[in-house]
Amino acid sequence: RRAMREALLSTEPARNTHSHATKVGVVLAVVFLFEVMLGIALVSRTGEPTPNALLTSASMMLAAETGRMAARAQTADTDHTYMSATVSSRESDRGENEKEKEKEERRKHLKPDAACVWTPHQLVNQIAKPRPPGPRATFHCEPREGPPLPTAARELIKEETLKVFVREFDVLFAQTSKLDTGGNPQFQCTSDCGDGQWTEHWGAAFASVDGHMHAVGFDGYVSLMSQSKIVAYMLALQLLGSAKVEEYVSAEPSGRSFGDFTTMKDHRAFNPYVSTGAEIIWALLDSASVGQYRDTIELNRQAWARLSAGAGGTVRMRTGTMDYEDAAEAIQQLPEDPRELSKPLASSNLAALYVMAANLVHLGGLPANSSIDGTYQGFVTVNNLRLTPQMMAMAAATLANGGINPVSGERVLSYRLVRYVLTTMMTAGLYDGSGRWAYTVGMPAKSGVAGGLLVVAPGVGGFATVSEPLDLQGNSARGLAFFSGLAHKFPFLHSFTPGAGSDPNLALTPVQGCHLTSMTVEQEPGEYAPE
């Protein structure tokens, strides 16, 4: 009996297949039932056990033992399955509850900038749709306001430092004015240009984070053109959040001209400053305003007014041949329906919008509640907002001051969003000339095809120049020459110079014996960086 039991157990499968043992027990019980009955009959006739009777008795004991083993195995298997399911369910419930508690504790107790998590992209319209193959996630931190403001007193700009800087600033301005940029503007004159007759305007301004201002040369109004993309991007980040904006627009330098229609492999625009990215940013703003394009234009005007407050003057606007002294009045006169405004038959901006609508078909095309007409008219209208060099310099100084206007003291933009905006300005603000600019000048900047150039020196102040002739990349040639000389004369203005921005007095102190400034203005037309 022991030998048969061991043989039977040796053929038993793993623990999770006890059903095999159950089947064996049932079969043996049926086979041996006949032998049991035969053994009983023989004992009753002879009165003595026979060899057959003894064999039958052993077989009956084995069958009984096998049946008990099968029953125990089946019971153990059932208990094990039930207990596993119960434990798994309890662990799942406990895991979900603990995760919720951890999230709640993180929101309450973690310090700013310490709650950085990886989260999937979220669509603006919150509708799950097919997306290109390959995982992609956005890294962002909460809360969005970023780190707390510095509590230590900042080093103020000394009066003697400012006097030396202003003197060198004016000398460099005069030297750069002699540069032969050649040719007419490639896009649009600041003033009316008829029959090829036009007058170039050359002006420069500086505003410090302490509120000091200095300007020389032309101080009139100039259209923002592509410089308006700074505030459009800023508003999109504020209204929709970086995760939603990055669903449509990345922050990568394209290495291509501003009008190139090339997109990234996942069909997003490279950055918010190329035409494709700027159009989609405006589509996002149009969706946020639920198609009220005039409200979006007014929001842009107010943002520029807040950024440039304290520089004197109001934000103006040019529509056609009309030059409004107050852009708010011009916006009120726009029709409610953007379809009432004319669209050119051939427009690269309109073409870029249609290209992006087709590229983003996996997201449903343009963002929900946006329209082709509202997006296009809002984009081209805001391009014609007009500021003076002093106002542009003050807007740049607000960004240099961490989003706080140096004169009004108003916080216009959070620390975190200032960082996003300045980063994209550094890597893509001058289109396919951004790399050369970062290499030689090293300050976040944004150009406009009307000749404006807005430059930020973080922790120091903001600069602006106006000069219509453009280089091959669509940037002001004279402005590039001026800032190249400025960065060589004042190397601590460069963002990647060790100690840059930590002491504005150091940043605004010229390097003695530097002759590179004079070399800058002796280059061939269109060249702005000395060898």
Side-chain angles (χ1 to χ4, degrees), residues 30 65 73-74 83 129 167 186 197 207 218 308 311 337 351 383 426 431 491 500:
V30 173
E65 182 70 16
Q74 186 174 12
M83 291 177 64
K129 298 179 179 178
R167 183 179 68 245
Q186 297 182 12
Q197 301 297 321
F218 174 70
S308 62
D337 191 345
N383 279 353
M426 173 69 86
Y431 310 114

Side-chain angles (χ1 to χ4, degrees), residues 102-119:
E102 288 177 2
K103 289 182 181 178
E104 196 64 32
E105 290 297 322
R106 186 187 307 164
R107 295 191 191 100
K108 290 181 180 179
H109 302 294
L110 285 185
K111 297 180 181 179
D113 270 354
C116 298
V117 293
W118 284 93
T119 58

Side-chain angles (χ1 to χ4, degrees), residues 277-301:
E279 294 286 357
I280 288 300
I281 289 294
W282 264 95
L284 289 169
L285 293 178
D286 193 47
S287 70
S289 66
V290 197
Q292 301 298 318
Y293 81 108
R294 293 191 304 179
D295 293 345
T296 309
I297 297 172
E298 173 62 17
L299 198 61
N300 276 260
R301 183 201 67 82

Side-chain angles (χ1 to χ4, degrees), residues 87-100:
V87 171
S88 177
S89 176
R90 290 176 179 175
E91 289 179 352
S92 177
D93 294 340
R94 184 168 61 251
E96 291 181 0
N97 293 334
E98 289 179 355
K99 288 180 181 178
E100 290 298 327

